[in-house]
Amino acid sequence: PALGYEGNYGNMGILGVCDWNPYGMFYNFSGFLGYMVLAHYLTKYPLAWSWKKTLSITIPFFLIGFAVTFFGFLETQKHFPGQYSKLEVLWYFSGINVFLMTFAIFTIVSRLRIKAGPVLSKVAALTFGVYLCHFFFVQCSYDFVNFIGLGGLPSAVKIPLMACLASAVSAALVWLLSLNRWTRKSIM
């Protein structure tokens, strides 16, 4: 790793730094850790806001973050077509637009009171493993959708279809791994 490896389209990087990953091998510990701290903070010290105040703050936060991401991506694509290192900047978890959307979702979810049941508890126990492996299956679902001839579908249909496929396959794999006492330890 100290010598780097081939990144996207031959870009070399030290310790895993490449176009899509400016954080190198510490990708999951850089900005994501901040969101884990945010989630912990909102759980331990919940905001004492009414639902009206919560929604009046979080909905505009989310819409602003989404608008910056969506329209910024379209604008970047117009000016830098095919330059993926520039296109993905708006998706970085360290951007203020992503923070605004994440804060809004975390705040709303932290206010929800969902009664735990056996099925929900089982699904919740698998979520870390699904998080760890889903990225691989996103690309596989893209390939599968195109392979079976659905590549011509509108993006508004293809993206949810691929998300459902990737989530289902990830959950199935993690569930299978959870049945073995040795592999269970690495995903739960």
Side-chain angles (χ1 to χ4, degrees):
L3 299 176
Y5 69 94
E6 294 272 330
N8 288 339
Y9 303 98
N11 295 311
M12 295 299 288
I14 303 302
L15 297 176
V17 173
C18 63
D19 282 351
W20 63 270
N21 178 10
Y23 305 98
M25 62 190 257
F26 301 107
Y27 182 73
N28 288 321
F29 299 102
S30 49
F32 287 137
L33 189 57
Y35 290 120
M36 290 172 57
V37 171
L38 174 64
H40 171 75
Y41 183 83
L42 289 174
T43 302
K44 189 160 176 88
Y45 307 103
L47 299 172
W49 294 350
S50 67
W51 270 107
K52 182 178 179 182
K53 182 175 181 178
T54 299
L55 295 176
S56 69
I57 292 171
T58 57
I59 289 174
F61 271 22
F62 185 86
L63 293 175
I64 291 167
F66 182 82
V68 168
T69 305
F70 182 83
F71 293 110
F73 177 79
L74 293 179
E75 211 40 46
T76 305
Q77 190 174 31
K78 187 186 319 176
H79 296 288
F80 303 99
Q83 294 184 23
Y84 300 109
S85 61
K86 293 188 180 359
L87 289 175
E88 294 177 351
V89 167
L90 291 157
W91 299 336
Y92 286 167
F93 51 78
S94 53
I96 189 69
N97 53 321
V98 174
F99 170 77
L100 288 172
M101 291 185 289
T102 305
F103 176 79
I105 291 169
F106 279 12
T107 302
I108 290 171
V109 170
S110 71
R111 301 252 351 221
L112 298 177
R113 300 294 170 243
I114 300 171
K115 186 175 179 176
V119 174
L120 185 60
S121 296
K122 184 75 169 166
V123 170
L126 302 176
T127 57
F128 180 65
V130 171
Y131 162 74
L132 291 175
C133 72
H134 85 281
F135 189 74
F136 174 78
F137 293 111
V138 169
Q139 181 63 47
C140 292
S141 67
Y142 174 82
D143 293 340
F144 179 74
V145 165
N146 286 315
F147 176 76
I148 63 171
L150 298 177
L153 289 173
S155 295
V157 174
K158 268 197 316 193
I159 292 172
L161 175 62
M162 291 184 303
C164 290
L165 281 170
S167 297
V169 172
S170 298
L173 174 65
V174 172
W175 177 75
L176 285 172
L177 291 172
S178 75
L179 299 177
N180 181 291
R181 68 183 182 132
W182 298 105
T183 55
R184 181 183 312 128
K185 294 176 184 179
S186 65
I187 57 165
M188 298 174 100

